[in-house]
Structure formats: C-alpha cells, structure tokens
C-alpha cells in the first residue's frame, strides 16, 4: 500500500504550481484557473486524510469546498465580464484603479 | 513496485505535467483544456483513495460545470494570446519564484516532520465511508444544516452573477 505522505506531497506540488501561476500570469481568467488548481490540491489532501484516518468529515468538507468554488467561479467570472466591458482588457497590469 | 504505486506515479505525473502546461500556455483555451486533464487525473486519484462520491462530483461539477463556464467566458471575451512568458523576465518574476520556493520548503518541512512513519495504509472502513449511500445518509442527518445553507450560497451567487454581468440600460 502507498503511504499517505505521497498524496500529501503531490497535493503540495500542485498547490505550489497554483501559487506560481497566480504570481506570474497576467490574465485574470488564467489566475482564476490557478485558484481552482489550488482548491483542488487541498481537496486531494482532505480526501487522503479522510481515507487514511477512517473519518467522513474530510469528504464532507470537500463537498462544501466544491459548492463554494462553484459560487466563487460564477461571481468571479461575472466580475471579469463587467471589467472587460468597461476597460476592454483582462490584463491585471492595466486594471489598477484600486492600487495605491 | 506494486501496481498501486505504478498507477499513483502515472496519475501524479499526468496531473503535475498538465498543471505546469496550464500555467505556461499563452492561450487561455489551451490552459482550460490542460486544467480539465488535471481535474480528470485528480478524479482517478480520488478513486484510488476509494472516495467514489467525490470522484463522481469532481467530474460532474469541476470538469463539467465549472470548466464549461470558463470556456464559455473565454469565448465571450474574444481574448488575444498573452505575451510569451520568456519575453518579460523581470525582477517581479524572480521574486515570485523565490516566494514559491519558500512556500514549498516550509510546507514540505512541516509535512515531512508530521507524517513520516504514520498513516502507512488506509483505514479498514475507508471503502465504506466513500460510498454514495454513506455520504448521502450523513449529508441528510448530521450535516443537514450546512447542506441547506449551501442552497443559500448558490442562490446568492446566481443573483450576484446576474446583477454584475447584466448590461446597464441608461
């Protein structure tokens, strides 16, 4: 049998790639996708713990994370569409009205 | 090497490779396709952890609903390709790599200390708790309040998305 630490390290690597994507990409939609990647890597860790400890709480938490992710994506993409309608761009370097 | 370890390594390779390809493609549609590949490989990883219900809703909700929304919005906005990543190698990008390495090292150190030598094989009831029957029963008894609140979250999200994205008539 494979130990839990393998799943946790895979989850860590995917999370790190997601953080890197958020930091280096300039396209708002791709940044959203990287956030989805990070949420999924945490889901993998939660399911791993749930299965190796023998407790269902981890899988319940994954279910609610997915619901919140769906809500977040719909509202976030609506914001992206609204910004694109006003500024005709989704490049986050040019969307700097709230920057000090 | 056992068959389980082989399956794990293949899936881990596919998911890591598709994640790296996702953040390095200039075209957002290609990024979305590689993210779908990543979600599918994660869904099979959930099956190897005997979480059947989570594997199914991973495909239904993530690869089905959320990614369709992404591709739809990309199509709606008619975006150009981003500049190639290697064109702009500046100080900010270097700082980003350093931060990412620090995050990786910190979490890896914590994980290595806390799980080494523990959790070597799944619990005896791991197959039982992954079943849809069990999860459904728990969801409608012990977790009924959070389950009902999710419907509130979803309706707020629908109303918010419509209000934000609708065209203003002046």
């Amino acid at each position: 049998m494979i130990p839990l630490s393998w799943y946790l390290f895979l989850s860590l690597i995917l999370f790190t790639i997601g953080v890197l994507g958020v930091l280096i990409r300039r396209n708002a939609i791709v940044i959203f996708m990287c956030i989805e990647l990070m949420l999924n890597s945490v889901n993998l860790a939660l399911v791993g713990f749930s299965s190796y400890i023998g407790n269902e709480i981890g899988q319940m938490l994954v279910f609610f994370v997915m619901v919140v992710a769906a809500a977040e994506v719909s509202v976030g993409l609506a914001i992206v569409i609204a910004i694109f309608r006003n500024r005709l761009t989704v490049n986050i370097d040019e969307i700097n009205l709230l920057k000090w | 090497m056992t068959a389980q370890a082989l399956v794990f390594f293949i899936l881990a390779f596919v998911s890591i490779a598709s994640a790296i390809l996702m953040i390095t493609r200039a075209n957002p549609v290609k990024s979305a396709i590689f993210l779908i590949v990543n979600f599918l490989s994660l869904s099979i990883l959930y099956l190897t952890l005997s979480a059947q219900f989570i594997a199914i809703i991973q495909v239904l909700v993530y690869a089905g609903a959320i990614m369709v929304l992404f591709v739809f919005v990309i199509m709606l906005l008619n975006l150009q390709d981003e500049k190639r990543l290697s064109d702009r190698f500046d100080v900010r990008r270097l700082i980003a790599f350093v931060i990412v390495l620090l995050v990786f090292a910190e979490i890896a150190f914590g994980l290595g200390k806390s799980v080494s030598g523990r959790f070597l094989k799944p619990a005896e009831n791991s197959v039982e708790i992954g079943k849809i029957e069990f999860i459904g029963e728990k969801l409608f008894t012990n977790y009924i309040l959070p389950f009902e609140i999710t419907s509130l979250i979803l309706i707020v999200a629908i109303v918010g998305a419509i209000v934000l994205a609708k065209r203003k008539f002046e």
Side-chain angles (χ1 to χ4, degrees), chain A residues 7 25-26 36-37 40, chain B residues 25 38-39 48 58 62 82:
Chain A
Y7 286 102
R25 292 306 297 261
R26 303 265 74 92
E36 294 304 310
L37 186 64
N40 264 281
Chain B
R25 294 305 96 182
N38 188 12
F39 285 167
T48 66
Q58 169 83 10
Y62 268 114
E82 208 172 335

Side-chain angles (χ1 to χ4, degrees), chain B residues 11-49:
Chain B
L11 288 171
F13 175 77
V14 170
S15 60
I16 292 172
S18 60
I20 290 175
L21 285 170
M22 184 201 96
I23 67 163
T24 51
R25 294 305 96 182
N27 188 337
V29 178
K30 284 179 191 160
S31 290
I33 300 290
F34 282 118
L35 189 56
I36 293 173
V37 173
N38 188 12
F39 285 167
L40 291 178
S41 65
L42 275 183
S43 153
I44 306 173
L45 273 172
Y46 293 154
L47 279 183
T48 66
L49 282 168

Side-chain angles (χ1 to χ4, degrees), chain A residues 17-85:
Chain A
I17 294 172
V19 174
L20 184 66
V22 169
L23 289 176
I24 67 171
R25 292 306 297 261
R26 303 265 74 92
N27 186 330
I29 293 180
V30 180
I31 288 177
F32 260 116
M33 289 186 205
C34 292
I35 292 172
E36 294 304 310
L37 186 64
M38 288 154 77
L39 283 171
N40 264 281
S41 73
V42 175
N43 282 352
L44 180 62
L46 284 173
V47 174
F49 272 119
S50 162
S51 162
Y52 277 70
I53 293 177
N55 193 327
E56 86 284 354
I57 295 176
Q59 302 194 14
M60 293 297 158
L61 208 49
V62 170
F63 179 80
F64 294 120
V65 166
M66 284 186 182
V67 173
V68 174
E72 170 247 331
V73 162
S74 57
V75 175
L77 288 175
I79 293 175
V80 168
I81 289 178
I83 290 174
F84 186 82
R85 191 174 293 144

